């Protein structure tokens, strides 16, 4: 049985896609064969003009390295959100799933540490949170095995609010394949995001976190101290900075209020709510009350 499925949603971006494939090839080739055979890579190309070039590259890597690498092309472009959800749910037979962006980069030498974390906690781990080099995390989060995602999230809300934000990057999460709630994530894509014009962010988080909340078994969460991702090399956003900042605020608020509701935490109970005017100002709360109609929004 596959221990880890690395699923890559991709559209265009031939250069960055080639880079991450070569990084993965180098990492897997450096592993003992027994560990290398525990990993599979699956590419989900969203019907872009460079799909055939990507397939040629994948075939070459699989042939020369013996990596379990599979490539598929969607019949039509199904959109970024749905392609990500396809990656999240495509490998139920793998114990863990890692959805890795086609413009992300991994830190050399991180794979033995990742595999060690997964193998040591294979039976009770629900989520392994991988952080990137630029994120400074308080020691209370590092190498601590939280008994549940709820415990992890509550500590973040009290001690370091940006932890739950920072790991929302899809590539930061290696999750137990069986816990992903595709119905919840699909509901967000089909019903919620079209209604308020949000997309491309946090859809996967609803699937992962809701799955951990609702699962009959309580699974643990681990944020190791080693660094796995180098986000400084990511492609710059196509949005203008001001527009991107406003959009991120809206998207984050949409997800964050849902998370607070799941935890039963009111906005006015958060110690730092008054400092975060861009989320919790009176104007913002007034607009979001209309959408959420929730007792957690004062």
């Amino acid at each position: 049985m596959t221990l880890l499925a690395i699923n890559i949603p991709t559209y265009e971006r031939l250069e960055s896609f080639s880079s991450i494939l070569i990084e993965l090839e180098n990492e897997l080739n450096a592993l003992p064969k027994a560990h290398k055979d525990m990993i599979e890579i699956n590419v989900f190309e969203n019907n872009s003009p460079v799909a055939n070039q990507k397939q040629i590259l994948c075939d070459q890597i699989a042939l020369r390295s013996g990596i379990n690498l599979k490539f598929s092309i969607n019949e039509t472009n199904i959109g970024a959100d749905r392609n990500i959800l396809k990656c999240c749910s495509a490998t139920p037979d793998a114990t863990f799933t890692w959805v890795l962006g086609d413009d992300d980069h991994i830190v050399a030498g991180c794979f033995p540490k990742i595999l060690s974390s997964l193998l040591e906690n294979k039976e009770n781990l629900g989520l392994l949170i991988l952080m990137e080099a630029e994120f400074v995390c308080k020691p209370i989060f590092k190498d601590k095995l939280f008994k549940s995602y709820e415990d992890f999230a509550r500590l973040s809300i009290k001690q370091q609010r940006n932890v739950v934000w920072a790991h929302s990057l899809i590539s930061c999460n290696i999750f137990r394949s069986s816990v992903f709630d595709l119905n919840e994530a699909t509901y967000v894509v089909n019903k919620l995001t079209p209604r308020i014009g949000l997309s491309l962010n946090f859809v996967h988080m609803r699937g992962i976190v809701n799955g951990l909340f609702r699962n009959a078994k309580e699974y643990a969460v681990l944020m190791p101290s080693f660094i796995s991702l180098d986000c400084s090399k990511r492609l710059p956003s196509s949005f203008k900075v001001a527009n991107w900042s406003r959009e991120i605020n809206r998207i984050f608020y949409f997800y964050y209020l849902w998370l607070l509701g799941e935890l039963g935490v009111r906005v006015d109970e958060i110690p730092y709510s008054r400092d975060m005017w861009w989320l919790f100002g009176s104007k913002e709360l007034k607009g979001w009350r209309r959408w959420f109609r929730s007792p957690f929004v004062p």
Side-chain angles (χ1 to χ4, degrees), residues 133-160:
E134 295 181 350
F135 184 76
V136 179
C137 186
K138 289 185 177 181
I140 54 175
F141 291 97
K142 295 180 180 179
D143 295 323
K144 179 178 179 180
L145 191 66
F146 294 89
K147 71 173 185 178
S148 67
Y149 188 83
E150 179 175 345
D151 283 1
F152 164 80
R154 287 186 183 279
L155 184 65
S156 174
I157 290 170
K158 290 181 180 179
Q159 297 291 335
Q160 190 174 359

Side-chain angles (χ1 to χ4, degrees), residues 54-91:
K54 291 179 182 177
Q55 182 160 23
I56 291 171
L57 173 63
C58 290
D59 291 343
Q60 290 173 342
I61 290 176
L63 182 62
R64 74 190 181 211
S65 299
I67 296 172
N68 186 2
L69 174 57
K70 300 175 183 177
F71 185 92
S72 63
I73 305 175
N74 295 334
E75 292 185 3
T76 59
N77 186 329
I78 60 175
D81 281 343
R82 289 181 175 82
N83 202 31
I84 289 173
L85 295 192
K86 188 174 182 179
C87 290
C88 289
S89 58
T91 48

Side-chain angles (χ1 to χ4, degrees), residues 10 149 262 283:
T10 183
Y149 188 83
E262 290 295 304
K283 181 180 179 181

